[in-house]
Amino acid sequence: MPAPLVDAAAFVQAHTRLAPAVLVPDIKLHLATQLTPLWQATEDFLQQHGMAPPFWAFAWPGSEALALHITQNPELVRGKRVLDFAAGCGLAALACVRAGASHVEAAEIDKLAAAAMRLNAAANGLVLEVLLGDIVGTPCRWDVILCGDVCYEEPMTRHILPWLAACASQVPVIIADPGRKYLPSARGKTLAVIEVPTSLELEDTLQRSVTLFQLPPG
């Protein structure tokens, strides 16, 4: 007998609470208050429903840095079509909506992340288009692409970087990286360096220095 369907939105609401982003506190997000209980709850469904670990339930340093940078420099996205790639909780995407982007898409492969982003958009009274699925290889239809903390695993980095580099020959592709192992050696122009408070449950330090750089064309 097939496993019962999980109501993704109900799952997110049951395991999170609304809380402010650290660097852009007027954006509220459905976030986990503790890592371990949520991780265990998600793992209970992994084999049955193909759910990924709950990265969407935390505002990671890359997304925090992107959201702050966009908030402080709204001209980067104002009136433009923006993609927040591997968007997680959607924090950077929501900052772009608030900054006046003409249309914002947030892409994720996890249905719980997609549900969380829709809930986060609603909680802030913002309109966000959520793309569920792997969009790598899609022809570039955006004016700006944002990527927060996407180089933490070798297979993922190998999968996404050629496409992002190809997009970078057409539009700005901005990556926010807190020092992950698989960051490309060709990093392009540095746009900002932002200090982001973190949790020892998620990182090995209480603060991460996040570098925002514009990916050079591939």
Side-chain angles (χ1 to χ4, degrees):
M1 178 180 295
L5 293 176
V6 173
D7 184 326
F11 184 94
V12 171
Q13 290 176 312
H15 293 89
T16 63
R17 66 176 178 85
L18 271 177
V22 173
L23 298 185
V24 190
D26 50 343
I27 295 180
K28 304 299 189 293
L29 305 166
H30 285 82
L31 301 175
T33 56
Q34 292 181 302
L35 174 60
T36 302
L38 174 62
W39 211 276
Q40 291 175 341
T42 308
E43 284 182 343
D44 288 342
F45 294 109
L46 276 175
Q47 291 185 341
Q48 293 178 317
H49 303 283
M51 293 180 184
F55 297 122
W56 49 268
F58 306 92
W60 294 85
S63 62
E64 287 274 6
L66 278 172
L68 178 63
H69 189 67
I70 292 300
T71 299
Q72 294 177 336
N73 302 276
E75 69 280 359
L76 293 175
V77 300
R78 185 182 293 125
K80 297 178 180 179
R81 299 164 298 173
V82 181
L83 170 67
D84 184 5
F85 176 72
C89 65
L91 173 56
L94 294 173
C96 290
V97 177
R98 289 198 325 152
S102 63
H103 186 73
V104 180
E105 295 176 274
E108 261 293 349
I109 60 173
D110 179 12
K111 67 180 180 181
L112 286 178
M117 286 193 286
R118 293 188 183 102
L119 289 169
N120 291 338
N124 290 278
L126 300 173
V127 176
L128 180 66
E129 182 175 353
V130 176
L131 306 177
L132 177 59
D134 186 357
I135 67 166
V136 171
T138 302
C140 183
R141 60 175 181 268
W142 307 279
D143 303 310
V144 181
I145 297 175
L146 305 178
C147 313
D149 201 356
V150 293
C151 298
Y152 55 88
E153 290 182 344
E154 193 275 336
M156 178 175 178
T157 304
R158 187 176 64 245
H159 176 59
I160 67 175
L161 271 185
W163 175 67
L164 290 174
C167 290
S169 66
Q170 304 174 60
V171 302
V173 175
I174 300 172
I175 295 180
D177 187 85
R180 302 306 185 198
K181 181 177 179 180
Y182 299 103
L183 183 68
S185 56
R187 302 181 189 181
K189 177 184 177 183
T190 296
L191 304 177
V193 178
I194 297 173
E195 300 300 321
V196 182
T198 64
S199 164
L200 290 177
E201 280 198 300
L202 300 176
E203 304 279 356
D204 57 1
T205 178
L206 290 174
Q207 183 166 287
R208 280 282 183 187
S209 181
V210 180
T211 301
L212 276 66
F213 65 93
Q214 186 168 326
L215 187 69

